[in-house]
């Protein structure tokens, strides 16, 4: 397991994390880990980003759809 350090966390963000951790009955460290795990394992957008990073994208994800004729100013 690795150790992760986050520097320059604004005081307001840290206070909010402490409050959130307290509400969930966690330490601040455990709450941050839970937030990180949620962000990378359950979010559909993060899963798609992982596929992009792995080079597993469809052509529609690599190339945005062309604009309709009336959408492009001449």
């Amino acid at each position: 397991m690795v150790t992760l350090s986050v520097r320059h966390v604004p005081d307001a963000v840290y206070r909010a994390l402490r409050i959130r951790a307290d509400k969930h009955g966690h330490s601040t460290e455990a709450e941050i880990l839970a937030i990180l795990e949620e962000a990378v394992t359950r979010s559909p957008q993060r899963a798609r980003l992982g596929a992009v990073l792995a080079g597993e994208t469809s052509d529609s994800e690599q190339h945005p759809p062309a604009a309709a004729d009336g959408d492009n100013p001449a």
Side-chain angles (χ1 to χ4, degrees), residues 1-66:
M1 196 171 292
V2 301
T3 300
L4 176 68
S5 296
V6 179
R7 297 176 9 187
H8 308 295
V9 176
D11 291 337
V13 171
Y14 185 72
R15 279 192 304 273
L17 285 167
R18 281 193 351 233
I19 291 167
R20 181 176 164 150
D22 206 29
K23 286 181 181 178
H24 292 130
H26 296 156
S27 67
T28 304
E29 180 179 351
E31 186 67 21
I32 292 168
L33 183 56
I35 292 167
L36 289 172
E37 287 174 343
E38 176 72 23
V40 299
T41 61
R42 294 191 177 93
S43 171
Q45 291 180 347
R46 296 298 296 171
R48 194 175 88 218
L49 177 59
V52 170
L53 293 174
E56 301 170 359
T57 59
S58 69
D59 287 340
S60 63
E61 289 174 337
Q62 292 178 3
H63 305 288

